[in-house]
Amino acid sequence: MSTRTRNEPKTTQPDDAPGGVENRTMLFARRRPTARNAREFVAETLSQWDLTERLDDVRLCVSELVTNALRHGAPAGHLILVRLELHDAQLLVEVHDSGGGTPRQREAPESSEEGRGLFLVSAIADDWGVTTRQGPGKRVWASFQRKAVTTC
């Protein structure tokens, strides 16, 4: 469990590696059902990639990151981008928004009904971080190590 944020995820292979990287991206409007729609996008994509061993973990993290983007990141009328990137040994999830500020994990009071999103992401994902983008906004990412595939 990583509690620190880094600017860039550690990828296990370069982007130009042969046979390398699959990715899928979707834009979402800043609306109430966006978190649900993002979870469905993740479930559909991971099912197509036959990568369901950590589906519930990835869906929960995407839901938390998208909810943060909705509440704190994307100004009204702006879009939220969700990107999944599959490497041989790692799944990288990114949520981009055009808002300012840097999300930080914090300790929420026990009586609070909110403020635990990044705590959950930190506990579930293998790593996570925040990167500023060229132009407005940021990219919040979470990475998940894939189980080693053995062949007989």
Side-chain angles (χ1 to χ4, degrees):
M1 171 173 75
S2 174
T3 57
R4 69 185 184 347
T5 59
R6 289 204 316 252
N7 290 338
E8 292 294 331
K10 287 184 181 178
T11 54
T12 54
Q13 65 191 49
D15 286 343
D16 59 352
V21 180
E22 289 189 63
N23 64 71
R24 190 150 177 234
T25 303
M26 184 166 279
L27 286 169
F28 296 93
R30 188 179 182 271
R31 295 194 179 115
R32 189 175 303 263
T34 296
R36 181 190 70 225
N37 294 341
R39 287 190 303 271
E40 291 170 358
F41 164 68
V42 165
E44 177 184 309
T45 300
L46 295 185
S47 292
Q48 288 175 356
W49 289 347
D50 196 27
L51 184 66
T52 57
E53 73 251 8
R54 294 192 68 187
L55 177 59
D56 291 338
D57 291 345
V58 177
R59 283 173 36 123
L60 178 58
C61 287
V62 164
S63 185
E64 294 298 334
L65 296 178
V66 168
T67 298
N68 280 352
L70 288 168
R71 298 180 102 199
H72 310 292
H78 288 234
L79 300 173
I80 295 168
L81 181 140
V82 176
R83 183 170 193 270
L84 302 173
E85 185 176 285
L86 181 61
H87 297 259
D88 284 338
Q90 178 187 55
L91 173 68
L92 180 64
V93 175
E94 301 175 356
V95 176
H96 297 244
D97 67 56
S98 57
T102 301
R104 299 202 188 284
Q105 182 180 335
R106 62 185 174 102
E107 194 168 321
E110 284 186 35
S111 60
S112 178
E113 293 183 12
E114 56 187 40
R116 292 177 182 82
L118 291 178
F119 175 79
L120 288 171
V121 170
S122 175
I124 294 169
D126 294 313
D127 202 4
W128 72 280
V130 181
T131 306
T132 57
R133 301 183 324 164
Q134 287 185 334
K138 64 195 156 297
R139 170 181 73 126
V140 184
W141 56 266
S143 65
F144 301 85
Q145 296 303 313
R146 295 180 59 193
K147 293 179 182 175
V149 177
T150 57
T151 57
C152 297

